[in-house]
Amino acid sequence: MKKLTLVTLLLGALFCNSSVKAQYEAIVQEGEFGISAGAAHYFGDLNTRAKLNRPKMAVGVFFRKQFKNYIGVRVQAHFAQLGYSDVYNKDNEYQRRRNLSFNTNIFELTLQGDFNFFKFVPGDPDYRFTPYVTLGAGIFTYDPYAYLNGQKVYLRPLGTEGQGTAAYPDRKPYGTMAFCFPLGVGVKYALNDRMNIGLEITHRFTTTDYLDDVSTTYVGADKFPPLPNGSPSNAQLLQDRSYETGEPIGIEGRQRGFSKQKDQYVMAEITFSFNLTSYRCPTAK
């Protein structure tokens, strides 16, 4: 009798476990809708050593379409702020003397592929966590500006490196839109069958060298006519700000930036998402 009871209990446990597994397998994760928030940081001509000392805000929304348990395709929109200043380049005397700075707002739209390392089934305690990699392509807008005597001045219309002038016909004004190519890693954890939380760090390679309005060489102060009252224009004052740290260094032809390397930026964010699921009817098998 005792043996029969033990067998019955074991069969019951196996049946229950199989029933729970069948319930998990019947729920299909179709995708996720979520938000993200964190920090963004710039790398480029003003931050040549990839220092992380001026992070700014980044927020986003995304929709991820899931294809089985390992692959997803994501559409994501971001707003972020970037900025830097030569005052942080204390170990490079030339850059410190150059004394340039910028800020810009970024509006970004990307299409990314996500690849899970582990099977991910929200609601199933055995498959509720996975690291993943993400890569894709996107487009973003930017418009760098600086502050002069407490006033916000947009830099692109000034042509600080001679863009759009007769003296430098090969230097065309740069646009306010460029492409980006995100590459990153992340982890996500299913809190339950409806909600997930995660952490993601994604680096963006871009097609522009003017996120910071710095790319090539100085063109000289004489290329920027003074105002009608004889005072220097904003363009002259902002193309070479070394006068604020000592003797001006911005003579024509001297290096101002490094045009052979495009600017980049990175985002580190916490994500929170809601699962979109459907129910797959069990088969006769």
Side-chain angles (χ1 to χ4, degrees):
M1 186 67 179
K2 291 182 179 179
K3 289 184 179 181
L4 182 60
T5 303
L6 181 60
V7 170
T8 303
L9 290 173
L10 288 173
L11 288 174
L14 288 172
F15 177 80
C16 289
N17 185 62
S18 298
S19 177
V20 170
K21 284 294 182 183
Q23 290 178 3
Y24 288 141
E25 292 174 358
I27 297 174
V28 180
Q29 188 197 25
E30 299 290 353
E32 302 167 63
F33 177 79
I35 58 175
S36 61
H41 206 287
Y42 144 91
F43 308 107
D45 296 288
L46 272 62
N47 184 16
T48 57
R49 302 194 178 183
K51 293 183 178 179
L52 295 171
N53 54 10
R54 200 180 177 189
K56 290 178 172 288
M57 65 159 293
V59 293
V61 295
F62 65 90
F63 170 73
R64 179 187 287 115
K65 172 62 179 176
Q66 198 69 31
F67 297 94
K68 297 189 177 180
N69 303 117
Y70 294 94
I71 299 175
V73 175
R74 184 195 338 173
V75 177
Q76 186 156 17
H78 270 108
F79 169 76
Q81 295 178 323
L82 301 174
Y84 211 76
S85 173
D86 275 334
V87 300
Y88 298 111
N89 295 314
K90 301 182 187 300
D91 54 348
N92 186 309
E93 180 62 16
Y94 177 78
Q95 288 183 308
R96 187 193 68 81
R97 288 275 289 109
R98 185 178 58 180
N99 196 38
L100 297 175
S101 63
F102 87 100
N103 291 278
T104 188
N105 293 328
I106 295 288
F107 294 92
E108 177 194 85
L109 182 66
T110 59
L111 178 66
Q112 297 169 226
D114 298 337
F115 305 91
N116 297 337
F117 286 100
F118 305 148
K119 184 177 180 180
F120 186 69
V121 183
D124 188 334
D126 295 330
Y127 303 110
R128 62 171 55 185
F129 168 81
T130 184
Y132 64 90
V133 296
T134 182
L135 58 91
I139 194 168
F140 69 96
T141 63
Y142 66 103
D143 200 0
Y145 60 89
Y147 287 94
L148 181 64
N149 300 322
Q151 298 295 315
K152 181 179 180 179
V153 181
Y154 284 94
L155 298 168
R156 187 179 69 92
L158 304 181
T160 54
E161 294 185 352
Q163 302 98 326
T165 65
Y168 287 85
D170 59 320
R171 297 187 183 181
K172 307 298 181 183
Y174 58 88
T176 58
M177 188 174 291
F179 293 102
C180 64
F181 302 96
L183 175 63
V185 296
V187 294
K188 61 180 180 178
Y189 177 81
L191 298 172
N192 51 47
D193 62 338
R194 296 182 179 274
M195 296 180 290
N196 310 310
I197 192 169
L199 173 66
E200 181 175 297
I201 301 175
T202 307
H203 192 95
R204 271 85 169 168
F205 300 92
T206 79
T207 59
T208 181
D209 193 36
Y210 281 106
L211 267 179
D212 46 23
D213 191 62
V214 180
S215 180
T216 56
T217 60
Y218 289 101
V219 297
D222 61 309
K223 299 298 188 297
F224 303 93
L227 298 177
N229 62 6
S231 59
S233 65
N234 285 345
Q236 181 178 341
L237 294 172
L238 290 170
Q239 62 90 27
D240 175 21
R241 304 192 71 169
S242 59
Y243 62 86
E244 296 177 338
T245 60
E247 190 70 19
I249 63 175
I251 62 175
E252 186 172 6
R254 176 172 285 179
Q255 184 178 1
R256 189 172 187 261
F258 184 62
S259 62
K260 296 186 182 298
Q261 184 171 330
K262 306 300 184 184
D263 295 330
Q264 305 168 29
Y265 58 100
V266 66
M267 293 186 193
E269 299 177 287
I270 293 174
T271 64
F272 183 79
S273 62
F274 295 92
N275 292 315
L276 305 174
T277 59
S278 63
Y279 184 79
R280 178 176 58 202
C281 294
T283 65
K285 296 180 180 179

